[in-house]
Amino acid sequence: MNKKIIFGLALSVLLVLQACGPKKKPDETTVPARAVQVPVFNADSAYLFVEKQVKFGPRVPNTKAHEQAADYFVNQFKKQGATVIVQDFDATTWDNQKVQLKNIIASYTPAAKKRILLAAHWDTRPYADKDHEKKDASFEGANDGASGVGVLLEISRLLGQEKLPSVGVDLILFDGEDWGTKDNVKSAIAMPEGFEDWWCLGSQYWAKHKHQKNYSAYYGILLDMVGSKHAQFFREGGSLEYAPSVVEKVWNTASRLGYTDYFVKTNVGAITDDHVFVNEIGKIPMIDIVHYQSGVGFFGDYHHSRKDNLSIISKETLGAVGSTLMNVVYYEE
Ligand SMILES: [Zn+2]
């Protein structure tokens, strides 16, 4: 994820710090008209999926851990009854490394016309360049990468075990999101053909080579850094521009479930993340649920540092995000 803010607003000083207390009472004004049985998102299970990824080691492209994690995801999705497509492709990074990348797509009810796309990136940044001491060190990427994937793996488990929703669901794990340029360092090579940004290589590739001809989705939801303790998700500018009604739906659903401490109804600036390319190139309206820290800005102080390890991951946060997504998906008709 790129910390670069496209049209960032200096709103942070104006934002009221939200207290992260116990779950609030559901908001009565957003109760839906019909009742739907939504399988219960298991936060303990989601946490174990995050832990499992961390145990492979940093999922840096061209490493054994990256390969092992990819195999694990494919097997896990298959075990849970999904139709799985692996999209292998080669890419060049800004520092001129040739990397072998894989986007992994797991589909449920593939014949359904109306589809919801849920995505996260699964690769880990190769260096902790925002660490205060060891900027060349690797880091666990427990939040940056593994948290979003953990939520999607738990959703996959539920889709495999429980009654499916009315809509089709596609889970996409994008590769090569996080090997972008370092702060104040320019690439010495030209942008390779077929790419327009050093960040988000997997989503750029997928948007130009979708796993199925003419594939589209009703809308998409991207997860990035959705697992840290007391995380808050503000309404990101790009999401508001591309898919305002989806932002509305997701934040209202969170509010109905009592997660207003996590999903804050405050608008902030836009960032470069995988949803930009799914919108711009893939032409699918997609929002980004991404950590924003009041008074600081996007992401927390763990970002791209060795602090991004399992100790910052909270089951409660994973549960708030996962339950919200499950409700959004199951309430679609
Ligand atoms: Zn990142």
Side-chain angles (χ1 to χ4, degrees):
M1 139 78 47
N2 187 353
K3 80 271 150 288
K4 181 183 76 187
I5 296 173
I6 301 172
F7 45 92
L9 307 170
L11 266 180
S12 49
V13 284
L14 303 170
L15 300 174
V16 180
L17 189 70
Q18 305 277 316
C20 294
K23 214 173 131 172
K24 285 198 178 143
K25 251 183 79 188
D27 180 347
E28 298 299 330
T29 58
T30 53
V31 173
R34 69 200 174 91
V36 173
Q37 278 289 347
V38 181
V40 178
F41 185 88
N42 186 327
D44 291 320
S45 172
Y47 182 88
L48 290 175
F49 284 129
V50 176
E51 188 181 55
K52 176 83 186 172
Q53 293 171 77
V54 166
K55 280 187 176 161
F56 285 121
R59 283 77 60 215
V60 175
N62 290 0
T63 65
K64 190 89 193 151
H66 184 262
E67 206 173 300
Q68 286 172 338
D71 289 346
Y72 170 72
F73 298 142
V74 170
N75 288 334
Q76 188 63 30
F77 284 141
K78 283 186 179 165
K79 204 170 96 185
Q80 300 302 344
T83 303
V84 183
I85 294 176
V86 178
Q87 199 170 52
D88 285 283
F89 63 102
D90 295 329
T92 303
T93 63
W94 71 276
D95 47 357
N96 207 12
Q97 307 288 310
K98 310 289 175 205
V99 286
Q100 276 140 30
L101 304 178
K102 282 180 204 292
N103 291 328
I104 300 167
I105 303 111
S107 299
Y108 287 90
T109 327
K113 267 211 139 126
K114 184 171 177 181
R115 316 197 59 76
I116 309 298
L117 165 57
L118 307 176
H121 78 87
W122 71 274
D123 60 304
T124 313
R125 185 164 178 75
Y127 19 68
D129 50 321
K130 282 167 76 178
D131 198 280
H132 294 304
E133 286 156 27
K134 293 192 170 176
K135 294 185 187 302
D136 292 325
S138 62
F139 64 103
E140 290 184 2
N143 204 28
D144 197 355
S147 63
V149 174
V151 168
L152 297 187
L153 289 174
E154 171 57 8
I155 290 176
S156 163
R157 191 187 68 79
L158 293 169
L159 295 175
Q161 307 294 315
E162 311 276 346
K163 186 173 176 285
L164 286 162
S166 314
V167 288
V169 179
D170 301 295
L171 309 173
I172 305 193
L173 308 186
F174 290 124
D175 203 352
E177 188 268 357
D178 229 350
W179 200 315
T181 45
K182 293 181 181 176
D183 265 0
N184 308 316
V185 184
K186 271 198 158 181
S187 174
I189 58 168
M191 187 73 64
E193 211 184 303
F195 291 92
E196 39 206 78
D197 202 297
W198 295 113
W199 297 90
C200 306
L201 301 174
S203 53
Q204 290 182 67
Y205 185 87
W206 178 82
K208 288 179 182 172
H209 311 86
K210 289 187 181 155
H211 62 287
Q212 272 165 0
K213 217 178 160 211
N214 302 322
Y215 171 85
S216 194
Y218 187 46
Y219 60 82
I221 300 173
L222 176 69
L223 306 178
D224 200 1
M225 291 170 261
V226 292
S228 70
K229 285 187 186 101
H230 309 306
Q232 294 197 305
F233 311 109
F234 285 50
R235 310 198 311 173
E236 185 263 347
S239 309
L240 288 164
E241 191 181 305
Y242 295 124
S245 64
V246 182
V247 172
E248 204 64 32
K249 188 191 294 252
V250 171
W251 264 253
N252 282 343
T253 301
S255 170
R256 171 170 69 78
L257 297 170
Y259 296 128
T260 49
D261 284 342
Y262 295 95
F263 288 80
V264 181
K265 286 188 175 177
T266 300
N267 301 351
V268 290
I271 53 167
T272 301
D273 205 347
D274 289 318
H275 69 312
V276 170
F277 304 96
V278 173
N279 277 291
E280 292 281 342
I281 305 168
K283 303 296 176 200
I284 295 170
M286 184 184 234
I287 68 159
D288 192 7
I289 299 176
V290 55
H291 186 187
Y292 185 95
Q293 205 165 330
S294 195
V296 175
F298 281 101
F299 334 132
D301 66 343
Y302 58 82
H303 188 237
H304 293 176
S305 86
R306 289 173 301 155
K307 281 188 204 163
D308 184 356
N309 58 50
L310 206 56
S311 73
I312 67 164
I313 300 297
S314 146
K315 289 178 186 174
E316 287 71 25
T317 308
L318 294 170
V321 173
S323 304
T324 299
L325 287 195
M326 285 296 286
N327 273 268
V328 166
V329 167
Y330 273 76
Y331 272 93
E332 288 296 345
E333 288 180 274

Short mmCIF file of all heavy atoms in Angstrom, two decimals, residues 1 121 125 144 177-178 199 225 303-304, ligand 1:
data_model
loop_
_atom_site.label_atom_id
_atom_site.label_comp_id
_atom_site.label_asym_id
_atom_site.label_seq_id
_atom_site.Cartn_x
_atom_site.Cartn_y
_atom_site.Cartn_z
N MET A 1 0.83 -1.19 0.00
CA MET A 1 0.00 0.00 0.00
C MET A 1 0.86 1.23 0.00
O MET A 1 1.81 1.34 0.75
CB MET A 1 -0.90 -0.06 1.22
CG MET A 1 -1.09 1.23 1.95
SD MET A 1 -2.24 2.25 1.12
CE MET A 1 -3.47 1.05 0.84
N HIS A 121 -4.45 -7.99 -0.61
CA HIS A 121 -3.17 -8.43 -1.19
C HIS A 121 -2.52 -9.41 -0.22
O HIS A 121 -2.67 -9.30 1.00
CB HIS A 121 -2.25 -7.25 -1.51
CG HIS A 121 -1.53 -6.62 -0.37
ND1 HIS A 121 -0.31 -7.08 0.08
CD2 HIS A 121 -1.84 -5.57 0.43
CE1 HIS A 121 0.09 -6.31 1.09
NE2 HIS A 121 -0.82 -5.40 1.33
N ARG A 125 5.83 -6.75 1.87
CA ARG A 125 6.88 -5.84 1.40
C ARG A 125 8.25 -6.41 1.78
O ARG A 125 8.43 -6.91 2.90
CB ARG A 125 6.68 -4.46 2.04
CG ARG A 125 7.63 -3.38 1.55
CD ARG A 125 7.10 -2.01 1.92
NE ARG A 125 7.98 -0.91 1.52
CZ ARG A 125 8.12 -0.45 0.27
NH1 ARG A 125 7.46 -1.03 -0.72
NH2 ARG A 125 8.90 0.57 0.02
N ASP A 144 -0.28 -5.83 7.40
CA ASP A 144 -0.16 -5.43 5.99
C ASP A 144 -0.03 -6.66 5.12
O ASP A 144 1.06 -7.15 4.84
CB ASP A 144 1.06 -4.52 5.83
CG ASP A 144 1.02 -3.74 4.52
OD1 ASP A 144 0.11 -3.97 3.71
OD2 ASP A 144 1.91 -2.90 4.33
N GLU A 177 1.52 -6.30 -4.45
CA GLU A 177 0.98 -4.97 -4.13
C GLU A 177 2.04 -4.08 -3.50
O GLU A 177 2.05 -2.87 -3.69
CB GLU A 177 -0.21 -5.13 -3.16
CG GLU A 177 -0.98 -3.84 -2.91
CD GLU A 177 -0.50 -3.04 -1.72
OE1 GLU A 177 0.41 -3.47 -0.99
OE2 GLU A 177 -1.04 -1.94 -1.52
N ASP A 178 2.94 -4.70 -2.72
CA ASP A 178 3.70 -3.93 -1.74
C ASP A 178 5.19 -3.77 -2.04
O ASP A 178 5.95 -3.39 -1.17
CB ASP A 178 3.51 -4.59 -0.35
CG ASP A 178 3.14 -3.56 0.70
OD1 ASP A 178 3.21 -2.35 0.41
OD2 ASP A 178 2.78 -3.97 1.82
N TRP A 199 3.51 0.19 -7.56
CA TRP A 199 2.70 -0.47 -6.53
C TRP A 199 1.60 -1.27 -7.22
O TRP A 199 1.28 -1.04 -8.38
CB TRP A 199 2.04 0.58 -5.61
CG TRP A 199 3.02 1.41 -4.85
CD1 TRP A 199 3.57 2.59 -5.24
CD2 TRP A 199 3.57 1.13 -3.54
NE1 TRP A 199 4.43 3.06 -4.27
CE2 TRP A 199 4.45 2.19 -3.22
CE3 TRP A 199 3.40 0.09 -2.62
CZ2 TRP A 199 5.15 2.24 -2.02
CZ3 TRP A 199 4.10 0.14 -1.43
CH2 TRP A 199 4.96 1.21 -1.12
N MET A 225 -4.91 -3.89 5.77
CA MET A 225 -4.60 -3.54 7.15
C MET A 225 -5.87 -3.41 7.98
O MET A 225 -6.23 -2.33 8.46
CB MET A 225 -3.76 -2.25 7.20
CG MET A 225 -2.38 -2.49 6.64
SD MET A 225 -1.42 -0.99 6.40
CE MET A 225 -1.65 -0.71 4.64
N HIS A 303 3.35 0.59 10.28
CA HIS A 303 3.38 0.44 8.82
C HIS A 303 4.80 0.28 8.27
O HIS A 303 5.67 1.10 8.52
CB HIS A 303 2.70 1.67 8.19
CG HIS A 303 2.49 1.53 6.71
ND1 HIS A 303 3.00 2.44 5.80
CD2 HIS A 303 1.83 0.60 5.99
CE1 HIS A 303 2.64 2.07 4.59
NE2 HIS A 303 1.94 0.97 4.66
N HIS A 304 5.01 -0.77 7.49
CA HIS A 304 6.29 -1.06 6.83
C HIS A 304 7.46 -1.03 7.83
O HIS A 304 8.54 -0.52 7.53
CB HIS A 304 6.54 -0.09 5.67
CG HIS A 304 5.56 -0.31 4.55
ND1 HIS A 304 5.50 0.48 3.42
CD2 HIS A 304 4.57 -1.23 4.39
CE1 HIS A 304 4.54 0.05 2.62
NE2 HIS A 304 3.96 -0.98 3.18
ZN ZN B 1 2.21 -2.12 2.58
#
